[in-house]
Amino acid sequence: MLNIAVLVSGGGTNLQALLDAESRGGIPGGRIACVISSKPEAYALERAKRAGVATEVLVRKGFATPEEYDAALFSLLDKYDTGLVVMAGFMTIISDRVVQRYPNRIINIHPSLLPSFGGGGFYGLRVHEAALARGVKITGATVHFVNEVCDGGPIILQKAVEVLPEDTPETLQRRVMEQAEWSLLPQAVALFCQGRLRVEGSRVIIRESEEGR
Ligand code: GRF
């Protein structure tokens, strides 16, 4: 069984989708071992506690240097014998050191069809504001492996969502979550836990059947 650490900062609806998937047997081979929040007040922590999952809080500002923060993160990930890290609305940028310790073992969800509206500055509602400002008719969500390039890692799954004329950033955010994020993230995590993802350069190959991770 692969231990999953979910990193969160906010409301935790994507975490909830993962918890729900796990409880209905939708993540064979994996279990959510801990939830680590960058904010002590994140509602995601309540969701984890309700599901009986261990919680930790790790605030970047509480550490004098990036090295000390990384060391604390590593010791938490080690404590739960973490085999997969899932960033589900995690608002702290992780360092190259973290990426290199978990190569193709960190998954992120981003609320657009990357490479559109990705990279530095594109987070939260800003992604949807930018999509509306550009006038795109289709947006969506992307689940990808995390590498050293912000939002630039190999893409695992994407799903398109229609933009409606009357959309506000908030209504669009909600539709992208409902129609894409909440199904895509558990699906990608399940594929990983079943050993069905293979990275070839910047492409992810999804195998038909289970093989070694
Ligand atoms: C989601 O839109 C996710 O794509 C983005 O941050 C948001 C987190 O929402 N990275 P939640 O905390 O999962 O509700």
Side-chain angles (χ1 to χ4, degrees):
M1 189 63 84
L2 188 82
N3 282 342
I4 305 166
V6 185
L7 310 189
V8 298
S9 299
T13 61
N14 280 287
L15 166 68
Q16 190 66 56
L18 289 168
L19 293 167
D20 292 348
E22 184 185 358
S23 74
R24 58 170 187 264
I27 311 183
R31 66 176 273 269
I32 301 170
C34 74
V35 169
I36 303 174
S37 176
S38 65
K39 292 186 183 159
E41 71 278 13
Y43 186 67
L45 289 168
E46 300 307 317
R47 296 178 188 274
K49 285 177 194 154
R50 218 189 295 146
V53 173
T55 59
E56 305 279 356
V57 175
L58 198 64
V59 181
R60 172 68 189 85
K61 275 193 254 165
F63 297 88
T65 65
E67 289 77 12
E68 286 171 48
Y69 171 79
D70 285 353
L73 179 58
F74 289 157
S75 85
L76 282 183
L77 294 175
D78 288 346
K79 175 175 165 190
Y80 294 96
D81 192 21
T82 304
L84 172 66
V85 179
V86 177
M87 296 171 62
F90 189 59
M91 302 296 272
T92 301
I93 302 253
I94 57 167
S95 73
D96 290 358
R97 247 187 322 273
V98 178
V99 172
Q100 284 152 17
R101 196 165 189 252
Y102 294 91
N104 296 325
R105 281 180 174 270
I106 306 175
I107 286 177
N108 181 48
I109 177 125
H110 184 82
S112 73
L113 293 174
L114 290 173
S116 290
F117 311 115
F122 286 108
Y123 58 87
L125 268 184
R126 289 182 185 210
V127 179
H128 305 290
E129 283 163 7
L132 290 176
R134 182 60 186 83
V136 294
K137 305 298 186 197
I138 300 283
T139 183
T142 303
V143 181
H144 64 94
F145 282 117
V146 174
N147 67 9
E148 288 86 347
V149 181
C150 181
D151 294 330
I155 291 171
I156 302 168
L157 295 172
Q158 291 188 300
K159 188 158 184 246
V161 173
E162 197 181 354
V163 179
L164 300 180
E166 63 275 19
D167 265 330
T168 62
E170 289 79 9
T171 61
L172 186 55
Q173 178 182 54
R174 184 76 192 177
R175 188 173 323 104
V176 168
M177 285 177 157
E178 285 174 355
Q179 294 186 6
E181 293 186 51
W182 298 339
S183 52
L184 223 49
L185 186 60
Q187 206 184 327
V189 168
L191 287 168
F192 183 94
C193 292
Q194 294 169 91
R196 291 178 55 193
L197 302 177
R198 190 178 75 236
V199 180
E200 280 183 11
S202 57
R203 295 195 322 142
V204 176
I205 313 294
I206 301 176
R207 298 165 170 138
E208 282 303 312
S209 62
E210 219 167 300
E211 287 173 44
R213 254 186 305 270

